[in-house]
Structures are given as C-alpha cells and as structure tokens.
Amino acid sequence: MTSTEEKTEAIQEEHISTSTASDLNNNADLAVAFEEGKEPGLSNAHLCTVADSKRILRRTDIYMLSLLCMVYFLQSADKGIIGLTAVYGLKQDAHLKGNDYANIGNIGYYAQLGVQPLAAWILVKARYRQVLPVIITCWGISVAGGLAGSRNYTGLMVSRFFLGAFEAAVIPLFSIITIAFYRRSEQPFRVACWYSCYGLSTFLSSPIVYGFGRVHSHTLHRYQVVYLFFGLFTIAIGIVTYWWAHDSPGEARYLTPEDRLKAIDRLKANQQGIVAHNFNWKHVREAFTESKYWLYMIMVISVNAGASVSSVFGSIILQSLAGFTPDQAVLLNMPFGALQILSILLASWLAYRFKRKSPFVLALVTIVIIGVALMVALPKTKANKGGLLVGYYLIAFVFALNPLLISWIGSNCAGQTKKAIYYTSFNAGNSIGNIITPYIFNSKFAPQYVTALKGILAIWCILWGVVIAQVFLIRWMQKKKKDQREAAGLPRDIVDHSMSEQFHEAGSEIHSENGLQDMTDRENLYFQYLL
C-alpha cells in the first residue's frame, strides 16, 4: 500500500480538479481548495490514518481548544462578576435604586440581541483570526475603561451595553470553530471543555472578588478595582489572540502543509462542510422555516432564563433567601462553580459515550426542576438553610445544558450560512432568556423572590415537554431522510463514521463529495440527524 505522501503526490499529478497545477503550487494551497470543496479528486482518497488523526487532534487541542477555553473564561468572568460585586456595595456606591441593578444586568443582552444579524454576516464573511482579537480587546476596554470608570447608573448601563455588543459573536463563533476543527464525535466534549470555563470563572472569580473586597481605596470603589483587574487582563489576551488563533484546518499554522490535507480528510465524514465565505440567503430561509429551529430556540430561551438566576441574582438569593452574610454568599459560589464544571464535563462525556444528547438534556432539566422546587417549597428558616442551599446548588446543573444544546444543534445542522443563523439565533435566545429573568425577579418580589422562582419553575416544566417534542421531530426527520435516499436509489441505512469513537480511514464510501460542500442538512442526502 502506498504511503500518504505518495497518494497525495499522485493526486496532485493526476489533478482531477477544475484548477490547474500552476494554480495550486503546493500542499498548502491544495488544502485550502480541498476544505472549500474545490478539489473533488481528493474526496475519495485515503489521506489520513488513525495515527495521523490522533496526532492532529492532539495538536488541535493544544492550539485551538486552549484558546477557546481562555477566551470563554474571560467572557464569563467579565459578564458574571457583576453578581459577585453586588454584595460588596455596588448598589450603594453607584447609587442604584429600584430596578437599576436588574437593568444593568439586562442591558448587555439587549445589545447582544440587536447585533446578532450583523454577527451572522461576519461569521460567514470574515476570518476568525481577524474577528477574535478585535472583539476581545474591545470588550476588555469596555470593562477596564467603562465599568471600572463608572460611578453611577448611566455609566454602568453604557459600559454593559458595549460589553454585551462586543461579546455577541463569542458563542456562535466558538461553536462554528468547534465544528470546523473536530469530528462530530469529538465535538460534545470540546464544547464542554470551553463552556465549562463558565464554571471555572465562577470558581476562580469568587476568591478573586473576595480578595479585592478586602481592598479599601480612597479613589476607587471595590467594584471598580475588580473590573479594572479583569478588564486589563482581557485586553492583554485580546492582543495575543492575533498570533494564537487560526482560521481553519486548511490554514492552520500549527500543522505542516501535508497535515493540513490530512486534517481536512479526517473531517469529511461530518457531512457539514468546513469553510465557505458566501452568505447564502437560501440557507437563511431554510433555517427560519424549520420546526426544529423553533423548538431549539424555545429550549435555549428557557435554559438561559434559569441560568441567569444564579449569574445575576445568585449571591443576592443566598443572602436574602437563606440568610447568609455577604462574605458567605460570595464564597458559597465556589462550590457552585465546581458543580458547574463537573456537571458540564460529566454530561458531555456521557453524550459522547452513548452517542446521544437528548436523554441527558432531559435528565438535567429534571434535576434543575427539583432544585427550584426545593427553593420554592422549603420554609425560609435557619433550620432549612441546608435544604435551601442544596436547592440552589442543583441549579448549577443548568450550565451543563447549554454545551449539550450547542453540540446537539451543531449535529443537526449543515451549511455555513445556516450554521451561522442557528448559532447567532442561539445567542439571541440566550439573550432573551437573560432579559426575561430580571423582569421575573422584579424588586417588588424582594428580598426572597419566591414568586419569581415559581415563574422560573413554570418555564422549566414547559421546557421538559419541548425536549420530548424535539426528540419525536428528529426521529421523523431521520426517517424522512432515509425515505429520500431510498427513492434516489441509494442505500436506506448508511454508516455514520463521524460518530465512531475511532477514526475510520475512508474514501468514497463516506460520500465526501457532499461532505465538504456548502450544503445544508436538508440538501445533503447523506446527512444523518442525531438524537
């Protein structure tokens, strides 16, 4: 059997593609053409071996996953520390009244919601290496120069608005990067790794804020010192990101030109495409007319309505509902953050192990319903502090739902523009969920917010039913796809090599003539939906 190098050279000499040899002078150019679906001669070739796949995966984790984890940690910390600084005099120092605090928590999500259409266009048209450094640096400036410099309601509102606007593309961008660099079986755990940094930020931010809470300055309030530290750190990472980030497997500088070809070859079974920079309005219409799109959006809104309970109101709830001191309320968020990390990694590992996401989504929803029910039902007395704290900690499992939803959505969607629409809509749903919560937690329900928690409980009970509906819909869509293959004279049942634990060295049998094209899941007869 010929070596991978000989196969590649033979294909280049044969050059079955529409381009000429003078257009593609080396493997680096060939890799770019391959991932854009312009080199059909490579689609049936066996370029990547199992050993190659493991080595490329390891290097991708070192270079790309580490970047996603660091940036998402900062995004979560910069957004979440408002909940921790609230118990250290933010309301008093900034002269906040009534629903001012809730509005400050809300305004960033209005900004994110408003810029999602622009974000969808940018995700298709722009290169990731250009986008990431700009948005990270700009939101760092919003934190260090805006929030740290604000001493009143207006300043905090404006700063949080710009912070939200610059963060708007982070989750959609990271989700698309994960799809572009990893096989479908590898995606859930990688999403879990970077998304678990939300929990890591809660775990590490709590002692950092606690430490700054001991600082007494004549010129800066304690919350300003916290924002200045996180903002300056974010700006530094934003600048470094220009050299840290990579646009696609075909242009990954951490791989040799030959390995870039192999990296693309190992992804062709995904049937999701890798790179396309043409914004396709047909993909937009297809997304908005799908029932599964709208069911996913209901899930995202409901999940994030529950998630913001802890991120914005967590310390306040612990202080008022369970009667803990401000210092205790902040420090008790550390085990909450640890639970976030553990639940995210465990749920995503189970989804990877059993090749199913919906059963674990349903289980997590049930756990959170139990937690909120405990907080609603238990009498608010010292004797019930432990039970109320357990109920609060069970809410931490809500954070395992977003990475599962991100990978579940990605597994059932293809086409570059369509993926951009789905993921910017995910972020829009995230924003809507976070916008809803402060209205539910109206100041008139303070200090214990029991009525507000009842509203969250009702939302989650509805969510449970929506997950069941989505499972039945995807089953029907998969059956319809099989019927279409059969009607076209193709095998009704095909093996999905993208979901196998071990990389499958394959050529024509995985039908990558479609897999690297900018086709949607509905257009591609070989696409397989996942539960």
Side-chain angles (χ1 to χ4, degrees):
M1 178 161 177
T2 58
S3 67
T4 301
E5 291 84 352
E6 289 170 340
K7 295 172 193 170
T8 307
E9 288 171 6
I11 290 163
Q12 284 180 292
E13 288 171 6
E14 237 176 69
H15 224 282
I16 331 175
S17 77
T18 54
S19 303
T20 63
S22 60
D23 294 324
L24 302 172
N25 296 320
N26 51 48
N27 281 351
D29 293 329
L30 192 61
V32 173
F34 186 21
E35 73 179 357
E36 291 179 353
K38 297 176 181 177
E39 189 57 53
L42 289 172
S43 296
N44 297 335
H46 294 248
L47 301 178
C48 185
T49 66
V50 173
D52 290 332
S53 179
K54 289 180 179 178
R55 176 169 46 79
I56 291 167
L57 175 62
R58 186 166 56 250
R59 290 187 66 80
T60 302
D61 283 342
I62 292 170
Y63 285 89
M64 289 303 297
L65 187 59
S66 62
L67 170 64
L68 302 185
C69 288
M70 172 58 77
V71 175
Y72 201 74
F73 169 83
L74 288 175
Q75 194 240 11
S76 304
D78 292 343
K79 185 170 63 177
I81 51 178
I82 187 171
L84 297 175
T85 56
V87 298
Y88 280 133
L90 173 64
K91 291 183 177 181
Q92 295 76 22
D93 293 338
H95 312 292
L96 304 182
K97 301 174 184 177
N99 285 323
D100 285 355
Y101 174 74
N103 292 337
I104 292 169
N106 240 352
I107 190 65
Y109 296 107
Y110 281 107
Q112 286 194 16
L113 188 60
V115 301
Q116 288 311 311
L118 176 62
W121 184 85
I122 290 173
L123 290 178
V124 176
K125 301 296 288 185
R127 293 182 175 274
Y128 308 145
R129 192 182 174 205
Q130 298 168 342
V131 175
L132 264 177
V134 173
I135 61 175
I136 296 168
T137 304
C138 287
W139 97 54
I141 293 170
S142 299
V143 175
L147 291 172
S150 300
R151 289 176 173 266
N152 54 44
Y153 174 65
T154 302
L156 289 171
M157 283 285 282
V158 172
S159 300
R160 284 280 292 189
F161 178 88
F162 283 108
L163 173 61
F166 289 121
E167 288 180 337
V170 172
I171 289 181
L173 180 56
F174 281 21
S175 302
I176 291 176
I177 287 174
T178 305
I179 291 174
F181 280 84
Y182 292 98
R183 297 171 61 234
R184 286 211 294 182
S185 63
E186 299 161 355
Q187 290 167 16
F189 186 71
R190 270 67 193 182
V191 172
C193 286
W194 57 259
Y195 198 91
S196 66
C197 291
Y198 194 116
L200 185 64
S201 75
T202 304
F203 183 77
L204 295 180
S205 296
S206 295
I208 292 172
V209 172
Y210 178 81
F212 282 122
R214 316 267 74 77
V215 175
H216 296 279
S217 169
H218 296 295
T219 55
L220 296 174
H221 296 304
R222 284 182 288 184
Y223 75 86
Q224 291 179 297
V225 177
V226 173
Y227 284 130
L228 188 62
F229 169 79
F230 279 99
L232 291 175
F233 186 42
T234 301
I235 292 170
I237 294 298
I239 294 170
V240 172
T241 298
Y242 179 78
W243 292 275
W244 196 346
H246 304 267
D247 288 321
S248 67
E251 299 183 44
R253 300 182 308 284
Y254 60 85
L255 297 174
T256 65
E258 183 190 339
D259 276 350
R260 293 174 199 172
L261 280 170
K262 295 174 182 178
I264 299 160
D265 184 63
R266 78 184 208 95
L267 298 174
K268 60 189 180 184
N270 284 359
Q271 298 291 334
Q272 292 180 294
I274 297 178
V275 172
H277 292 294
N278 297 318
F279 194 88
N280 192 326
W281 285 101
K282 184 181 177 183
H283 291 196
V284 179
R285 289 191 296 272
E286 183 175 307
F288 287 145
T289 55
E290 289 183 331
S291 298
K292 72 175 168 72
Y293 168 89
W294 295 105
L295 288 176
Y296 275 134
M297 290 310 105
I298 293 171
M299 289 185 216
V300 173
I301 292 168
S302 302
V303 166
N304 287 283
S308 66
V309 170
S310 63
S311 60
V312 179
F313 293 95
S315 296
I316 294 173
I317 288 173
L318 284 174
Q319 192 178 350
S320 57
L321 187 69
F324 294 102
T325 67
D327 282 347
Q328 288 173 333
V330 168
L331 293 177
L332 283 170
N333 269 295
M334 289 181 67
F336 188 92
L339 268 177
Q340 287 178 351
I341 299 169
L342 289 173
S343 63
I344 289 169
L345 294 177
L346 177 61
S348 295
W349 180 83
L350 288 170
Y352 162 76
R353 172 67 179 79
F354 294 100
K355 307 295 183 287
R356 293 285 188 276
K357 299 172 185 69
S358 54
F360 305 107
V361 169
L362 206 58
L364 289 167
V365 172
T366 304
I367 291 171
V368 176
I369 287 175
I370 293 170
V372 178
L374 283 172
M375 295 177 70
V376 170
L378 286 175
K380 313 308 179 281
T381 62
K382 286 187 177 181
N384 289 314
K385 262 190 177 183
L388 290 167
L389 189 60
V390 168
Y392 177 71
Y393 282 160
L394 287 180
I395 296 178
F397 286 85
V398 69
F399 292 93
L401 280 162
N402 269 334
L404 280 186
L405 285 177
I406 288 169
S407 57
W408 196 15
I409 290 170
S411 297
N412 290 319
C413 177
Q416 192 70 6
T417 303
K418 189 174 181 180
K419 286 184 288 189
I421 293 299
Y422 260 81
Y423 280 123
T424 51
S425 296
F426 175 95
N427 223 27
N430 183 338
S431 300
I432 293 169
N434 281 279
I435 287 169
I436 289 171
T437 307
Y439 288 109
I440 297 173
F441 280 77
N442 192 287
S443 58
K444 68 183 179 183
F445 299 133
Q448 295 185 338
Y449 294 104
V450 175
T451 303
L453 288 169
K454 288 180 180 177
I456 295 296
L457 184 59
I459 290 172
W460 276 72
C461 289
I462 293 170
L463 171 61
W464 198 92
V466 172
V467 175
I468 296 293
Q470 186 74 300
V471 169
F472 280 104
L473 177 62
I474 290 174
R475 283 184 182 277
W476 176 81
M477 292 177 70
Q478 184 71 311
K479 181 181 180 300
K480 185 179 178 182
K481 185 69 75 175
K482 290 180 179 182
D483 292 341
Q484 289 172 343
R485 283 198 291 266
E486 196 170 52
L490 300 170
R492 180 178 178 84
D493 295 301
I494 56 176
V495 178
D496 186 358
H497 293 294
S498 71
M499 290 302 294
S500 60
E501 290 186 30
Q502 189 85 326
F503 171 73
H504 180 77
E505 185 182 351
S508 59
E509 66 271 28
I510 64 169
H511 309 288
S512 60
E513 67 273 13
N514 286 359
L516 295 176
Q517 299 298 318
D518 190 24
M519 300 176 72
T520 68
D521 49 284
R522 281 164 64 177
E523 293 171 336
N524 188 351
L525 285 175
Y526 298 108
F527 187 89
Q528 297 200 65
Y529 296 102
L530 301 176
L531 291 173

